[in-house]
Amino acid sequence: MKLLAATVLLAFTAPAPLWSQSGGMITGQVADALNGQPVPGAIVTLDDGARGSTTDQSGRYIVRDVASGYHRVVARAAGFQPATWDSVLVTAGRSITVDFQLRPEAVPLPALAVEARPDRLLDPRAPQSIQTITGAELRDLPVTTLAEAIELQAGVVDGSFRGGRLGQEILVVDGLGIKNQLDASTGRLGLRIPTVALEEATLVTSGLSAVYGQALSGIVAASTRDGGDALAGRVALETDRSLPAGWNVGLDRVSATLGGPLVGRVRFFAVFEAEARVDDDPVNAPAPGDTLDPRSSQPHLLPNNSGERYDALGKLTIPLGQRETLRVLGVVSESRRCLFDPELKYAGERGPAQRLSGRLASIHLRRTSSPTARTAVIADLRVGYFEREALRAPALDPAGLRLGGFTFAGPEFAGEAIAVSRDTVAALDPIPGVDPPQFVANAPWGIPAFFTTSSTRGQIVWNRFREGRVRLDVLIGPGTDTDLRAGAEYVKQDVQTFTRLEAYRSVTAGAPLPVSSSFSPVQASGYMELQQRAADLTITAGLRADVFNGRSSQTDGVSGTKATLGPRVAVSTSLGRAVFVAGWGRFAQPPDFQYLVDAAFDDTLRTGRFRRGNPDLGFETVTQYDFQVRARVSDAVGLRVGVYVRRLDGLIASVPLGVDPDSAVFGNADFGTVKGLEVSVERDFRSGVGVRASYVLQKAEATANDARDLFRRLQITPVGDTIVPATTAFPLDFDRRHSVVLVGRARVPPRWGVVPGGTEFTVIGRWSSGLPFTRTSVGGDLLIGVPNSERLPGQSTLDVLVRRVFGTGRWRVGVFADVRNVLNRRNVVAVRRDSGDPSAAEGQIVAMAEAAYLANPQPIPYESPRYRPWADLDGDGLVSGRSELFPLFERAARDFAQPLFFYGPPRLIRAGVEVLF
């Protein structure tokens, strides 16, 4: 009853930003071409005539919530000849102005005048920061995934939006929100929407609508394509296996789409993509100087690091009547990869592996009012199911590579059956297939140190997150200047986790206890929004109510229901060739469910292995202030300048219990502030050239209640008193102070005589200042300075895509070359926290070698497989003594300490061919 009462507690006076609609808007005026007078009662329809609107006394009309893409717009009125505009491009969250001048019947006039003004920049009905990427732009950019395309937008850094933590965003697919609520801050979604399946993608980082919750930093809205009226498709292949060594990471990628009519008016659209790499995470680390190191001859490839991904999407569009449409969408994604571990460098193909899969099924039923209705009503009922499953464990006899990086089967995992069944009794014993670690004998150095036959962590971690969503949205448009939206959503979730560490030995022998959890959270929400327009002034406001119950049993009880309200308001107005927008809002999201229980996937929390979950965690919240000016510098050049302040509160923190760093509980204890400036200049794509440049200046700080860091900063007075440091704000992990992105597109016509006609070029240049990090002592038990007081070097990349398409009919063939990091810049993405440099200091390497030598100083006889003739300096058949053994330990330590993943990817080149029909 509490949950139901909180859900219906909606006395909202609320307005909604236009972007909250799943599509855009077509608006304009219908006038008499003879005298310019408005034509009231004219009917404006889209496509097949089922959607549309009727003009009012001033001849104005508005068609709301129009799907992204091209549409045919027709205006009809009694006594006038119909007028048609065949290709009106609609984008989500924006209004497109299409004015008609109708010719009276039997009155000869000059050619029909139809005006379309799709100026998205100066639209006062869009009171938010919307960055849109069309399907055509996704095809023209050197990007492979939607996440890569979003990274090109202002304010996005490595998956972080406006300085926020990972997981503070939500993906909305065809109006249905999707989020990995289990461990969004540390784990991936597991579901990939192929870019070729997208009609459009939209990023919103300000003016977040009340329609969608579970987001503090941004919303990524993806609109998938419907099948067309005629059968059409595309098949593409990309590879780098024909390139010379060093540029070849064993990449193969296949993409195929097909869509069109199925039966009657039913249309379908399907996509399948598969991608594999022999080296799934290539790094641009320097080649080792020791010639005995196997990487010295081919430094880009890492062993046991292959990966493959499969994504499939299918969609049916089923008209049920003149104004009812049913859409059924299904998406399946799976990724499998082996995980390179420096400890297992000489263990052959044995090592840890992971599998991550996602499943999405949704049904969308829409009913729209008649074009002649005085009040437009659009109702959307959506039902969705999402499942994410992740497993990381030692691989059992990994499947061999059959084509490039493809195995078509993937590895089998040790202990998978025990993990999936969450059998904590069977997990008390050593897990079959997880071998005890032994020092290898086949390393170039021979000595027993650093390199093992299996991982000393022996980690088996599994989780599965499932949820079902039901949501109803209603849009009511009484006239052309008012939009009222209302809706509600109910979400039922299921969480199951399992963790077993050091699985090669039993619990009685000292391994940590296996831990599992199973609980079923529920969430509900409701909202109302209103948008009111008066001339060039638009006021939007809204109120959203969210409740959730983690329902996670603990020894001290069961969590209760948490509720929060989120008001939002924005004002926008036109100032000639500029638009000014001011907005304010409060947004909330439930915590990751991993923090509700004592165990979490991959054991990634900062306080170590042992910590307590908190079933009484509440919402994390953000209060955001936005100001933006959008202006036309010229007919082809647009300018956006925006500033924002985000007040963070109730962030999840590790609250210490005493002075034991492993004795902590999670709480809503952290708070902070993010301030930023965003500037974007764009030249529209005209005369074969288009350019967009953006700059972001940002400062993101928050308190950092970390039990382990606090323990390392405690001070003990001479009399034995403990001094706890004061709460201070530090730079957030994604506090990227400066960021510049430049995107240029060009199409070379044949008359230039340089390259064949129709060749397209796209260039993406990026530069950003470094992210912060914390310095520590060599042992990691002492902080040097305050948290995140040091910064990494700046990073920059240059990506290029060149495409040439042959043929102009139905069948076309394209060839392209996609080059990432074309200058092969060696970007430092991480450093050792003790040295502040990617490489270990010479003293550290010597210390590592000394400790290993003292642990195993025994001689190596001639009969041993560890014997190395070149190390036997006196030729007595025995590698012994410090003079002969210690250099081996030192070279092995240098090998083990290579800073591989401290560097970003190298130059990656792929060549491709595509067939369009």
Side-chain angles (χ1 to χ4, degrees):
M1 291 300 295
K2 291 183 180 179
L3 187 64
L4 179 60
T7 305
V8 299
L9 202 152
L10 301 172
F12 305 151
T13 62
L18 178 64
W19 92 266
S20 66
Q21 305 172 17
S22 59
M25 176 188 297
I26 299 178
T27 184
Q29 187 178 45
V30 179
D32 187 327
L34 192 61
N35 53 30
Q37 294 297 312
V39 179
I43 300 175
V44 180
T45 59
L46 306 184
D47 304 324
D48 59 2
R51 294 286 315 278
S53 177
T54 303
T55 60
D56 58 15
Q57 291 300 314
S58 61
R60 296 171 58 209
Y61 74 93
I62 181 171
V63 185
R64 300 170 172 85
D65 215 358
V66 181
S68 301
Y70 287 95
H71 294 271
R72 183 172 181 263
V73 186
V74 180
R76 295 182 175 88
F80 293 87
Q81 299 179 22
T84 301
W85 186 265
D86 283 326
S87 299
V88 175
L89 178 61
V90 176
T91 58
R94 301 224 168 76
S95 62
I96 305 301
T97 301
V98 179
D99 293 336
F100 291 90
Q101 293 183 355
L102 301 186
R103 294 180 294 184
E105 291 182 343
V107 176
L109 288 174
L112 175 67
V114 180
E115 183 181 3
R117 299 192 302 272
D119 195 333
R120 301 176 294 182
L121 186 70
L122 301 182
D123 181 10
R125 298 179 178 89
Q128 61 284 313
S129 177
I130 299 179
Q131 301 177 68
T132 301
I133 313 168
T134 66
E137 289 172 337
L138 286 170
R139 174 180 173 271
D140 293 339
L141 293 172
V143 296
T144 305
T145 65
L146 174 60
E148 292 176 355
I150 294 299
E151 289 286 338
L152 300 178
Q153 311 310 306
V156 183
V157 177
D158 300 330
S160 166
F161 294 71
R162 285 191 168 181
R165 190 191 65 219
L166 296 179
Q168 291 183 345
E169 75 288 341
I170 188 172
L171 173 65
V172 177
V173 180
D174 291 342
L176 190 71
I178 303 170
K179 188 169 186 176
N180 163 30
Q181 195 65 54
L182 172 60
D183 57 354
S185 61
T186 54
R188 292 181 296 164
L189 181 65
L191 189 77
R192 298 204 316 177
I193 308 297
T195 56
V196 292
L198 295 176
E199 185 70 47
E200 181 182 82
T202 301
L203 170 65
V204 182
T205 52
S206 70
L208 303 186
S209 169
V211 174
Y212 298 105
Q214 294 181 287
L216 297 182
S217 300
I219 297 176
V220 178
S223 300
T224 61
R225 296 168 57 185
D226 290 334
D229 296 329
L231 192 65
R234 173 183 179 269
V235 177
L237 170 66
E238 301 174 37
T239 185
D240 68 357
R241 290 196 292 150
S242 61
L243 300 175
W247 289 357
N248 179 355
V249 297
L251 168 70
D252 288 293
R253 185 168 181 264
V254 179
S255 175
T257 68
L258 184 65
L262 188 62
V263 177
R265 295 194 300 159
V266 178
R267 292 172 294 168
F268 79 98
F269 184 78
V271 177
F272 175 76
E273 285 190 346
E275 179 181 340
R277 281 177 175 162
V278 175
D279 188 350
D280 196 45
D281 192 11
V283 295
N284 203 16
D290 199 319
T291 57
L292 292 181
D293 190 309
R295 278 193 69 246
S296 62
S297 60
Q298 195 176 36
H300 295 302
L301 294 177
L302 298 178
N304 196 53
N305 202 40
S306 62
E308 55 192 319
R309 299 171 181 83
Y310 301 90
D311 301 290
L313 179 146
K315 186 177 184 181
L316 291 176
T317 304
I318 308 171
L320 300 180
Q322 286 296 316
R323 296 189 297 276
E324 297 83 16
T325 304
L326 178 68
R327 289 179 170 86
V328 181
L329 176 71
V331 185
V332 177
S333 296
E334 183 165 314
S335 65
R336 303 187 289 258
R337 64 164 301 187
C338 298
L339 301 172
F340 172 78
D341 187 341
E343 185 180 11
L344 304 177
K345 182 176 180 179
Y346 301 103
E349 294 300 319
R350 295 183 62 83
Q354 72 177 20
R355 182 180 67 228
L356 180 63
S357 61
R359 307 285 187 269
L360 171 66
S362 69
I363 299 175
H364 176 200
L365 177 62
R366 161 167 286 197
R367 189 181 194 281
T368 62
S369 57
S370 169
T372 59
R374 298 184 61 182
T375 299
V377 178
I378 302 174
D380 294 283
L381 175 64
R382 295 178 174 92
V383 180
Y385 171 81
F386 171 61
E387 176 180 315
R388 173 191 182 273
E389 184 177 13
L391 173 66
R392 181 179 297 181
L396 296 174
D397 299 323
L401 302 180
R402 298 185 180 181
L403 176 62
F406 288 108
T407 66
F408 303 114
E412 295 183 5
F413 294 86
E416 179 176 1
I418 294 175
V420 173
S421 63
R422 297 181 296 107
D423 190 343
T424 55
V425 175
L428 295 174
D429 299 324
I431 304 298
V434 185
D435 300 327
Q438 304 289 336
F439 288 120
V440 299
N442 65 331
W445 331 111
I447 43 89
F450 305 116
F451 304 103
T452 60
T453 57
S454 60
S455 174
T456 55
R457 291 179 291 276
Q459 185 182 71
I460 299 176
V461 286
W462 170 87
N463 71 39
R464 183 169 60 203
F465 173 77
R466 294 181 290 192
E467 70 172 20
R469 290 178 181 258
V470 179
R471 67 175 294 137
L472 175 66
D473 300 282
V474 179
L475 167 62
I476 302 174
T480 58
D481 293 325
T482 303
D483 288 338
L484 175 65
R485 293 178 67 92
E489 182 176 52
Y490 179 80
V491 185
K492 178 66 180 296
Q493 298 162 319
D494 178 72
V495 177
Q496 295 183 349
T497 69
F498 176 88
T499 303
R500 173 69 158 93
L501 304 177
E502 300 178 21
Y504 53 85
R505 60 175 176 167
S506 66
V507 171
T508 57
L513 281 168
V515 183
S516 70
S517 65
S518 178
F519 52 99
S520 299
V522 293
Q523 299 183 47
S525 60
Y527 72 91
M528 289 185 67
E529 294 188 327
L530 176 69
Q531 183 175 79
Q532 184 64 46
R533 296 175 290 275
D536 290 332
L537 180 68
T538 301
I539 300 177
T540 63
L543 185 64
R544 179 183 178 88
D546 284 280
V547 297
F548 89 94
N549 188 317
R551 301 172 100 182
S552 54
S553 298
Q554 295 287 95
T555 56
D556 56 348
V558 179
S559 62
T561 299
K562 308 295 187 302
T564 186
L565 293 177
R568 303 105 196 270
V569 64
V571 178
S572 58
T573 185
S574 178
L575 303 173
R577 294 178 65 85
V579 170
F580 172 76
V581 181
W584 171 88
R586 184 177 184 270
F587 317 107
Q589 71 174 23
D592 279 6
F593 295 142
Q594 64 173 328
Y595 301 124
L596 304 182
V597 295
D598 288 340
F601 175 68
D602 202 17
D603 203 44
T604 53
L605 305 180
R606 296 177 293 180
T607 56
R609 268 196 323 231
F610 310 104
R611 72 276 178 195
R612 292 175 52 188
N614 183 1
D616 290 322
L617 284 175
F619 285 90
E620 298 179 296
T621 63
V622 166
T623 302
Q624 182 163 292
Y625 305 83
D626 278 283
F627 302 92
Q628 185 182 104
V629 174
R630 307 191 296 260
R632 275 288 175 195
V633 179
S634 67
D635 291 340
V637 179
L639 171 68
R640 303 170 187 259
V641 179
V643 294
Y644 58 87
V645 177
R646 305 176 64 233
R647 303 291 187 184
L648 316 175
D649 197 13
L651 303 182
I652 303 301
S654 174
V655 182
L657 301 174
V659 296
D660 181 358
D662 282 333
S663 178
V665 65
F666 291 101
N668 299 100
D670 278 346
F671 56 91
T673 302
V674 180
K675 302 176 182 179
L677 165 70
E678 296 176 349
V679 180
S680 178
V681 180
E682 182 172 4
R683 183 192 184 278
D684 298 338
F685 191 81
R686 297 186 182 183
S687 303
V689 178
V691 179
R692 175 170 63 86
S694 63
Y695 167 72
V696 177
L697 172 65
Q698 181 177 266
K699 182 179 181 180
E701 294 184 333
T703 58
N705 282 285
D706 183 307
R708 181 168 293 277
D709 282 352
L710 181 62
F711 175 75
R712 290 182 292 191
R713 289 185 287 128
L714 291 177
Q715 299 179 16
I716 309 298
T717 67
V719 296
D721 293 333
T722 301
I723 300 177
V724 180
T727 300
T728 307
F730 307 108
L732 288 167
D733 290 344
F734 292 95
D735 178 29
R736 182 87 78 184
R737 293 294 170 87
H738 304 276
S739 178
V740 177
V741 177
L742 176 66
V743 180
R745 298 171 55 202
R747 181 177 294 112
V748 180
R751 64 176 179 272
W752 285 18
V754 179
V755 292
T759 302
E760 301 171 355
F761 297 87
T762 303
V763 178
I764 298 176
R766 283 172 280 200
W767 174 86
S768 58
S769 58
L771 293 175
F773 70 94
T774 303
R775 288 287 301 274
T776 67
S777 61
V778 175
D781 57 353
L782 179 65
L783 292 184
I784 301 176
V786 298
N788 278 349
S789 58
E790 303 285 335
R791 290 201 171 259
L792 298 171
Q795 301 181 26
S796 64
T797 58
L798 183 65
D799 304 333
V800 176
L801 174 66
V802 182
R803 174 183 280 108
R804 170 76 170 111
V805 178
F806 300 90
T808 57
R810 178 174 179 180
W811 287 85
R812 290 170 293 162
V813 177
V815 293
F816 58 91
D818 186 342
V819 186
R820 312 289 174 87
N821 192 14
V822 65
L823 300 179
N824 201 32
R825 177 176 170 83
R826 181 166 287 147
N827 289 304
V828 176
V829 298
V831 294
R832 294 176 60 97
R833 297 197 172 194
D834 50 359
S835 66
D837 190 79
S839 301
E842 188 65 25
Q844 295 170 329
I845 293 176
V846 172
M848 292 170 57
E850 187 70 36
Y853 170 69
L854 294 177
N856 295 280
Q858 59 271 17
I860 303 175
Y862 176 81
E863 298 81 9
S864 171
R866 298 183 181 278
Y867 178 79
R868 301 295 182 264
W870 50 266
D872 187 1
L873 301 180
D874 56 11
D876 63 352
L878 196 68
V879 179
S880 61
R882 184 179 180 87
S883 62
E884 293 183 344
L885 283 173
F886 187 77
L888 299 181
F889 282 96
E890 190 174 17
R891 294 175 74 176
R894 202 177 305 278
D895 181 2
F896 183 74
Q898 286 184 51
L900 298 176
F901 293 104
F902 293 88
Y903 295 93
R907 179 192 296 116
L908 298 174
I909 305 175
R910 64 186 74 179
V913 59
E914 61 182 353
V915 178
L916 302 96
F917 57 91

